[in-house]
Amino acid sequence: RQYLAKTLRFLLKNDETIISNLPSTARLTLTEQVKQRRYVLHLLYANTIKRGANMSMTGGTVTRNTEIEIIEELLPLNDIELELRLPRKIKRVMLEPQDEEIHFSHHENVYSIKLKSFICHQMVVLHWQQP
């Protein structure tokens, strides 16, 4: 995985849309909602644990081994740092559904956001200025 990440950074020539300090098992999804003039960033993380032995699952003529991953407890992720390279000028950043405005900084088109903590899922809404 480490080689894949380095290769992608090389190919993107340090022009990634999002850079974060989240673990590799976390997921980030950025969508643009033009009518609402905003971006919505979803952060998702659940630590899974493998339980039991491999199970053989058979369906018709297909047989495959599948490991079971279970979420036993949801642990918080703390001190999250995000950098987003966006083409639009952002005027405010909100945590949703908390309806809480958060501080951000920017240099040119790169926006830096820090989150204290989240558990499982957090939406970050970035409202842009009307052109």
Side-chain angles (χ1 to χ4, degrees):
R1 284 190 173 195
Q2 193 176 41
Y3 296 116
L4 178 61
K6 287 181 181 180
T7 302
L8 286 173
R9 283 192 186 98
F10 174 77
L11 292 172
L12 289 169
K13 296 182 180 15
N14 293 321
D15 198 24
E16 298 119 317
T17 302
I18 302 172
I19 298 172
S20 79
N21 66 344
L22 291 171
S24 62
T25 52
R27 297 293 174 256
L28 294 170
T29 305
L30 180 67
T31 59
E32 181 180 34
Q33 297 177 336
V34 176
K35 287 183 182 179
Q36 293 87 357
R37 293 192 308 273
R38 66 186 185 183
Y39 297 101
V40 179
L41 177 64
H42 291 270
L43 291 78
L44 184 64
Y45 175 73
N47 47 307
T48 58
I49 298 173
K50 293 181 181 176
R51 291 286 184 214
N54 285 347
M55 294 175 48
S56 179
M57 302 179 75
T58 305
T61 58
V62 178
T63 302
R64 61 187 168 110
N65 288 331
T66 303
E67 293 179 340
I68 303 297
E69 291 185 345
I70 296 173
I71 300 170
E72 288 190 344
E73 60 183 320
L74 293 171
L75 300 175
L77 284 179
N78 300 309
D79 302 319
I80 297 99
E81 297 179 7
L82 304 162
E83 284 190 2
L84 294 95
R85 185 178 308 276
L86 302 170
R88 300 182 189 270
K89 186 169 173 77
I90 301 302
K91 64 179 181 179
R92 87 185 154 133
V93 178
M94 303 288 294
L95 294 181
E96 297 295 348
Q98 299 95 318
D99 195 34
E100 177 185 331
E101 189 164 352
I102 61 170
H103 174 76
F104 68 95
S105 61
H106 68 93
H107 177 70
E108 296 179 2
N109 64 338
V110 177
Y111 294 86
S112 298
I113 300 169
K114 293 184 180 183
L115 303 178
K116 291 179 187 174
S117 172
F118 81 94
I119 296 174
C120 190
H121 175 254
Q122 179 63 63
M123 283 191 317
V124 179
V125 180
L126 301 101
H127 297 271
W128 70 64
Q129 293 180 352
Q130 193 166 358

